[in-house]
Amino acid sequence: MVRFRRETVIGILLTSLPLLVAATGASLFFPGGGERLVTLFMINVIAVLGIGLYAGNSGIVSFGHVGFMAIGAYASGLLTINPIIEKTALPHLPEWLAGIGMPFLPALAVALLVVVAVAVLIGIPVARLGGSSASIATLGFLVIVHVVLVASSDFTRGSQTFFGIPRAVNLWLALPFAVAAIAIARIYRDSSAGLKLRASREDEIASIAVGVNVRLHRFIAWVIGAALAGTAGALLAHFLGAFSPKDFYFNLTFVLLAMLILGGITTVSGAVGGTAVIMVIVELLRKLEGGADFGVFSLPTVFGLTDIGIGVAILVVMYRLQDGLFGVRELDERLPWLKGFEARTSRLDSDGSGTPVTTAGTLRIENLGKSFSGLVALEKADFEITPGLVIGLIGPNGAGKSTLINSVSGVVPPSTGRVMIDGMDVASLPVHAVPVAGLARTFQNIRLFRNLTVLENVTVAASAFKREADPRERARRVLAEVGLEKFSDRLAGTLSYGAQRRLEIARALALEPRYLLLDEPAAGMNPAETQELMHVLDRIRTKYRLGLLVVEHDLKLIMRLCDRVVVLNKGQQIAIGSPAEVQSDPAVIEAYIGRRRTPKPAQPGPLEAAGLNPGAAGLHNPT
């Protein structure tokens, strides 16, 4: 845990350094105009970090955080407005709100309470949404805030300018707030909650399968981001001294999102860097917007030149750098000397040992069935998985294998039947709670968190349980189990196909399950990779006494690895038994080969004709 804090502190210091340099330089060499520009930069950094804390970690672009800026600005403005000006500007203000005249900092604290209260109310429904639906909902919130501000003329002066606000914010007041915002955003990003939300950004289904409560973490990020945005709004209000609802609407939303996207939506350093770049572009183009004479040629007045310049900058950067100027990793995470430090501490702290898990109980699948709009995909599957044994699940394409494993793991709730562990029906649990019951899984199509490192992929799962001070220690031990410890700092999406398969198994193993469901783990592997996978599965089965359910089309692998085999065909369970019993079962032969005349004695058996040689396994002899 100490190392985690040290890395985070280093990142905060490196990201805050440009702000300190800019503030010092402006005060020493550009007093007045330079200080105002850098102060506005600080405020914009806070606002962009507020949006990025939610959008960057969840992957959902938010248009609504500018609405929180407006709420923060008007709330703090109402509390601090000069009482003399208030009588003229807001003659119909209710008595309970009139004549308060609070100092800025206490008013900011009260304003943030208002912002957080609104964020909680709005966040409850927004957290249930994902993707474009959530983005549209945040846009609707922004529009609602704007309309309410315009309509509430007794409180806000409607569409007219709200003035009389004390200009209490200067460079040296804005700087500590900006550094604090960087610290909050980076601490959250590096925390267990931030890591889980970033995992859901990469693949929501896979994150749920390793115990992430996606709605909860989206809600938390939404509220924290709203608080930062509300702070930025209050600071901006007391920096300008006068504002109106249009100052917190689409134009500001466009500029702030441009800052976030240009620098890199997923990183704190990207938010700060993108803000600086856009502000430089805006400042340069604003001077040219009214026209300029360069001697050789003259530039005419171009209305909206700054917006055009921002749009062109985004297009150019996105064309060459899809993830923004700073990419998907923090600046400090790519420094060679920090990488070396992390590698050294990894070797010191990880001994490659594992902790055996509890093996009591049995996973019982009772009459499990699933229908989709009247189409029966699975019915009456009935068998059990015992710790320490490997159960194979085979069947032709469309037999219902993936439906069964999805129903057992809770991804697709079953229509009938139960999935029992220690007397508890896990099929009735929320999907993110299934791993806590001792059930983990992999997917037919690899579902990794591609823009997280190998270590972070496994840490997401390891942090589902608070059994160690630092879940990364557990993650490193599991990576050693599958031979991936030397790739811990690599992005998961850069691994070879076979290594990605093993990483998915490691992530599931980090949940410390009693039962592990593997959906076609050898799919797409070459023979060498398949052989290595066999060794890994056999080793973890023996060491941890896991109950394994392996869905696989490779019949040779199934017959060599499994103690018992379940066969599905057309959604029905047609056989269960040892590999030798299943190979000679007429119903299984018919499902794979089809009806045929009885072969001559000299001819090979049907499964051998299909490419399976039972004797080649050396483990199971049908005779």
Side-chain angles (χ1 to χ4, degrees):
M1 195 69 177
V2 173
R3 185 177 63 258
F4 174 82
R5 288 196 297 265
R6 183 185 299 120
E7 293 166 356
T8 302
V9 168
I10 291 173
I12 292 169
L13 293 177
L14 288 177
T15 309
S16 301
L17 184 60
L19 276 67
L20 299 171
V21 172
T24 304
S27 63
L28 292 177
F29 304 109
F30 304 99
E35 288 185 346
R36 285 183 56 82
L37 183 62
V38 175
T39 302
L40 185 58
F41 167 64
M42 305 288 180
I43 295 172
N44 284 336
V45 164
I46 299 170
V48 173
L49 288 172
I51 300 173
L53 193 143
Y54 171 75
N57 291 295
S58 69
I60 300 170
V61 176
S62 171
F63 301 96
H65 279 72
V66 172
F68 292 119
M69 291 183 67
I71 295 173
Y74 275 93
S76 63
L78 284 169
L79 294 172
T80 59
I81 187 171
N82 187 309
I84 298 175
I85 298 176
E86 179 190 281
K87 293 179 181 180
T88 304
L90 299 169
H92 304 294
L93 198 65
E95 292 185 6
W96 60 271
L97 196 55
I100 297 178
M102 294 176 64
F104 169 65
L105 291 179
L108 173 61
V110 176
L112 287 182
L113 290 177
V114 175
V115 168
V116 169
V118 175
V120 168
L121 291 175
I122 301 299
I124 293 173
V126 168
R128 298 176 62 88
L129 303 175
S132 58
S133 299
S135 295
I136 294 300
T138 64
L139 178 60
F141 170 68
L142 175 63
V143 173
I144 290 171
V145 170
H146 179 78
V147 171
V148 169
L149 290 176
V150 171
S152 304
S153 56
D154 289 349
F155 295 85
T156 66
R157 302 195 76 239
S159 59
Q160 300 181 61
T161 301
F162 190 95
F163 61 92
I165 311 301
R167 299 179 65 176
V169 174
N170 57 27
L171 175 60
W172 299 108
L173 180 62
L175 176 61
F177 278 100
V179 173
I182 289 173
I184 291 170
R186 183 59 191 265
I187 290 170
Y188 177 81
R189 184 183 187 272
D190 291 351
S191 69
S192 175
L195 180 59
K196 290 176 180 178
L197 187 57
R198 285 190 285 138
S200 73
R201 176 195 69 200
E202 298 297 318
D203 193 313
E204 183 174 345
I205 293 176
S207 67
I208 294 173
V210 294
V212 176
N213 187 340
V214 176
R215 291 180 181 177
L216 174 63
H217 291 295
R218 283 177 180 167
F219 175 79
I220 293 172
W222 169 267
V223 173
I224 298 175
L228 290 180
T231 301
L235 291 170
L236 183 61
H238 289 82
F239 171 71
L240 299 174
F243 50 89
S244 67
K246 67 181 179 61
D247 294 323
F248 299 97
Y249 207 33
F250 287 130
N251 189 64
L252 181 59
T253 301
F254 169 69
V255 173
L256 295 178
L257 285 177
M259 293 172 175
L260 183 62
I261 294 170
L262 189 75
I265 193 171
T266 62
T267 62
V268 176
S269 51
V272 175
T275 302
V277 172
I278 291 295
M279 287 202 65
V280 170
I281 292 173
V282 169
E283 192 63 22
L284 292 175
L285 294 181
R286 185 171 290 159
K287 295 179 179 179
L288 301 176
E289 200 168 32
D293 187 0
F294 295 98
V296 179
F297 67 94
S298 297
L299 184 69
T301 300
V302 181
F303 178 75
L305 182 61
T306 55
D307 292 337
I308 294 172
I310 292 172
V312 171
I314 292 176
L315 290 174
V316 170
V317 171
M318 291 297 102
Y319 177 73
R320 298 302 302 270
L321 301 169
Q322 193 174 22
D323 296 314
L325 294 173
F326 288 79
V328 298
R329 305 188 72 179
E330 295 289 355
L331 184 62
D332 57 277
E333 292 174 347
R334 292 175 288 178
L335 294 177
W337 65 275
L338 281 178
K339 279 187 177 182
F341 172 78
E342 174 66 16
R344 288 192 299 272
T345 55
S346 297
R347 287 193 295 270
L348 288 171
D349 293 336
S350 178
D351 60 2
S353 63
T355 303
V357 297
T358 303
T359 59
T362 297
L363 171 60
R364 178 70 192 170
I365 297 166
E366 299 180 354
N367 296 315
L368 204 65
K370 179 62 183 177
S371 299
F372 297 95
S373 301
L375 175 64
V376 178
L378 179 71
E379 60 177 332
K380 296 183 179 179
D382 196 285
F383 59 95
E384 64 181 29
I385 305 171
T386 304
L389 298 182
V390 181
I391 307 299
L393 182 63
I394 65 173
N397 288 330
K401 301 184 298 297
S402 291
T403 300
L404 188 147
I405 201 170
N406 285 335
S407 296
V408 171
S409 61
V411 174
V412 177
S415 303
T416 60
R418 301 188 300 174
V419 180
M420 306 297 293
I421 297 179
D422 299 337
M424 177 176 59
D425 185 4
V426 298
S428 63
L429 298 175
V431 184
H432 68 268
V434 171
V436 180
L439 187 61
R441 66 161 299 177
T442 66
F443 293 87
Q444 181 177 353
N445 299 315
I446 296 177
R447 288 183 174 273
L448 293 177
F449 311 131
R450 302 182 65 83
N451 287 319
L452 302 186
T453 65
V454 169
L455 179 63
E456 287 174 331
N457 266 261
V458 184
T459 303
V460 172
S463 62
F465 306 97
K466 300 298 183 182
R467 293 175 185 163
E468 297 185 37
D470 188 353
R472 293 186 303 176
E473 301 308 319
R474 165 73 180 163
R476 288 192 179 96
R477 291 197 295 269
V478 174
L479 287 174
E481 291 282 357
V482 299
L484 292 177
E485 67 276 17
K486 62 182 178 181
F487 301 114
S488 62
D489 198 47
R490 288 262 301 270
L491 292 180
T494 65
L495 295 178
S496 66
Y497 183 84
Q500 289 187 23
R501 282 287 182 189
R502 283 184 284 137
L503 175 58
E504 196 174 31
I505 293 172
R507 188 178 64 189
L509 193 61
L511 290 166
E512 301 185 13
R514 286 183 284 164
Y515 308 98
L516 182 56
L517 315 181
L518 304 176
D519 196 351
E520 299 195 30
M525 287 186 174
N526 60 42
E529 291 173 330
T530 300
Q531 188 64 30
E532 187 174 6
L533 176 66
M534 289 276 292
H535 291 315
V536 168
L537 294 180
D538 191 55
R539 184 170 64 251
I540 64 176
R541 180 265 293 260
T542 303
K543 182 172 183 176
Y544 296 101
R545 288 199 55 78
L546 296 177
L548 297 182
L549 175 64
V550 181
V551 180
E552 187 53 67
H553 281 292
D554 187 339
L555 295 181
K556 291 182 179 179
L557 184 149
I558 286 290
M559 298 304 169
R560 292 175 60 187
L561 181 66
C562 298
D563 301 290
R564 292 178 66 78
V565 179
V566 178
V567 187
L568 299 181
N569 187 34
K570 298 179 181 179
Q572 296 182 334
Q573 180 177 317
I574 61 173
I576 182 171
S578 68
E581 294 169 341
V582 166
Q583 289 179 80
S584 59
D585 192 304
V588 177
I589 295 172
E590 181 180 331
Y592 273 91
I593 308 300
R595 292 185 180 275
R596 56 179 295 172
R597 293 179 180 176
T598 303
K600 296 178 181 179
Q603 293 178 332
L607 291 182
E608 288 144 322
L612 173 64
N613 181 4
L619 299 178
H620 303 286
N621 189 342
T623 60

